[in-house]
Structure formats: structure tokens, C-alpha cells
Amino acid sequence: MSVIENDFSYQIKVAYWLVRDAENEEDTRLNFHVKSGDYFSTLATILGFIEEKVGEQDYGGSLDYELNVLKRMKKDLLYLNDNFDITRKNNNKADLE
């Protein structure tokens, strides 16, 4: 780290690089969430962000039905997260280990 005198700013030099070498990063991310058991809750969180953004806009109540659908979907996903696990249909667990 270097400090510039009388300027209250500094620079942090990174000592390492993070390399993502997965063939398909989307599959890797998906497998991570399934393996850690938080896939349903992650989806619910993302839907919550969408619900908040849509709710911030003034649509004059025209999207009330859609917002209620998002709320029900979040509730369903959290129920699934609390009560179920995802398993592969073909019993090939290589991706999850």
C-alpha cells in the first residue's frame, strides 16, 4: 500500500488474481447454490429485489396482481427451502461433489 502525503488518498495493490476457469460458469454457480442448500432462498431473494423495484414505481395499481404473484412465489420458495432438498434425477452427483 502506498500513501500520498497531504492527499489522504491511498492505493491498494492486489497481491493475487482470481481466475475463473470453469467451462460453464452458470452451471458452476447453480451447482454451488444447490449443493449449499440455498437455491430456493436465493431465488426468493432475487424475486424480492424485483418486487421492490416494481413496487417503487407508480403504476396506479395496475400491477397489484403481479406483485401479489411475486409475494406468493417468494413464500412458496421459502417453504421449499425449509422443507425440501434438490436431487438429480439421473443420480449422477458428480456435479455436486
Side-chain angles (χ1 to χ4, degrees):
M1 176 169 46
S2 61
V3 178
I4 301 171
E5 289 185 35
N6 301 326
D7 189 8
F8 300 113
S9 63
Y10 60 91
Q11 177 182 5
I12 298 175
K13 295 184 180 186
V14 179
Y16 61 90
W17 290 88
L18 177 63
V19 177
R20 296 186 182 265
D21 59 354
E23 282 186 34
N24 187 338
E25 190 172 326
E26 188 71 17
D27 287 346
T28 302
R29 184 188 53 78
L30 180 63
N31 285 330
F32 169 79
H33 286 292
V34 170
K35 184 178 178 183
S36 64
D38 70 349
Y39 181 68
F40 295 126
S41 60
T42 300
L43 285 177
T45 301
I46 293 168
L47 287 178
F49 292 145
I50 295 169
E51 178 189 356
E52 285 177 20
K53 271 297 196 198
V54 172
E56 289 174 358
Q57 306 301 317
D58 183 18
Y59 293 104
S62 65
L63 293 179
D64 288 347
Y65 175 78
E66 289 80 359
L67 287 171
N68 285 328
V69 169
L70 285 174
K71 288 177 186 176
R72 287 194 312 269
M73 288 177 67
K74 280 187 353 186
K75 184 178 176 183
D76 290 349
L77 287 167
L78 293 174
Y79 173 81
L80 290 172
N81 190 71
D82 291 341
N83 295 289
F84 295 92
D85 291 318
I86 299 174
T87 58
R88 292 182 71 86
K89 287 184 178 181
N90 63 4
N91 295 326
N92 180 5
K93 297 182 181 181
D95 291 336
L96 300 178
E97 295 177 355

